[in-house]
Amino acid sequence: MPTYHVEMMEGRTIEQKKKLVEEITRVSVEILGGSPESVDIIITDIKRENWATGGKLWTEPRS
């Protein structure tokens, strides 16, 4: 079964992450079959200072 790598900016609560992994697991089993125990999810929290979009770090002001 699949292993998902989720990268997102830090700041989500444990409850939000719990709900996210529950839903990813549910949908994976629904679509792909198998058991929930076979779905792995790795969450990486990234500091805003280490993420950039459009040539700007997310710690910089946005217009």
Side-chain angles (χ1 to χ4, degrees):
M1 282 297 283
T3 298
Y4 295 96
H5 296 263
V6 178
E7 295 179 340
M8 58 187 171
M9 284 187 216
E10 64 183 358
R12 276 40 175 236
T13 66
I14 295 295
E15 284 304 313
Q16 288 172 316
K17 292 177 186 180
K18 185 175 186 275
K19 181 68 174 172
L20 177 64
V21 300
E22 288 171 353
E23 290 300 310
I24 290 172
T25 301
R26 181 187 63 76
V27 170
S28 295
V29 170
E30 179 181 307
I31 293 171
L32 303 174
S35 68
E37 292 76 25
S38 65
V39 179
D40 290 314
I41 303 166
I42 300 165
I43 297 174
T44 304
D45 285 326
I46 301 174
K47 293 183 179 206
R48 296 176 78 79
E49 66 194 40
N50 295 327
W51 194 305
T53 302
K56 286 185 142 185
L57 295 173
W58 276 94
T59 51
E60 297 179 82
R62 298 276 172 196
S63 51

